[in-house]
Amino acid sequence: MYTSVRNRCLNEIERLKVVHEYTQKMLKENEEGFFHDHVIEEETYRILTEGINKLPKQMKNIMTYALEGLSNGEIAEKMGVSLENVRSLKKIAYKKLRDIFKNNYYLLFMI
């Protein structure tokens, strides 16, 4: 009985050691993946901002507000224009951004 209990304890210690090593490995990979994802996100945002800066002033303002998470109604209220005007200018801005980013096909999913 002593030998049986001893062996089960040793097996459990070995299992916990393997679990701990695996957890440490996954944490390290997640940190590296997080950094990689963050760099890609920042670079994409920079490229998108450069494209938005090429738009006419009113479209640029609308797209900037949209990136900040404002709805079309909030944008219209903030800019003092009609909701339809915001919708149509936003639609035109999306078309222009698609033309600007035609070589950066990976950004098209954001637009």
Side-chain angles (χ1 to χ4, degrees), residues 24-109:
Q24 293 300 320
K25 179 182 174 185
M26 293 307 293
L27 286 174
K28 183 179 178 186
E29 287 178 8
N30 282 341
E31 287 175 6
E32 292 170 1
F34 175 77
F35 177 73
H36 184 262
D37 291 346
H38 184 69
V39 168
I40 289 174
E41 183 181 328
E42 289 293 320
E43 184 64 15
T44 303
Y45 185 78
R46 183 190 63 77
I47 292 169
L48 185 60
T49 304
E50 285 178 5
I52 289 173
N53 287 335
K54 294 177 183 177
L55 296 172
K57 185 178 180 184
Q58 204 168 21
M59 286 182 203
K60 175 183 167 185
N61 291 339
I62 289 172
M63 294 308 293
T64 302
Y65 288 140
L67 274 180
E68 291 173 4
L70 297 177
S71 68
N72 288 347
E74 293 169 330
I75 294 171
E77 185 179 313
K78 201 165 201 166
M79 293 181 64
V81 296
S82 71
L83 182 60
E84 270 308 307
N85 195 9
V86 170
R87 286 183 185 148
S88 64
L89 286 174
K90 202 174 192 183
K91 191 175 185 178
I92 294 168
Y94 282 137
K95 287 180 183 179
K96 288 186 179 208
L97 286 172
R98 282 187 193 101
D99 288 339
I100 291 170
F101 295 128
K102 64 184 169 196
N103 293 331
N104 299 354
Y105 61 89
Y106 57 90
L107 286 176
L108 289 178
F109 73 92

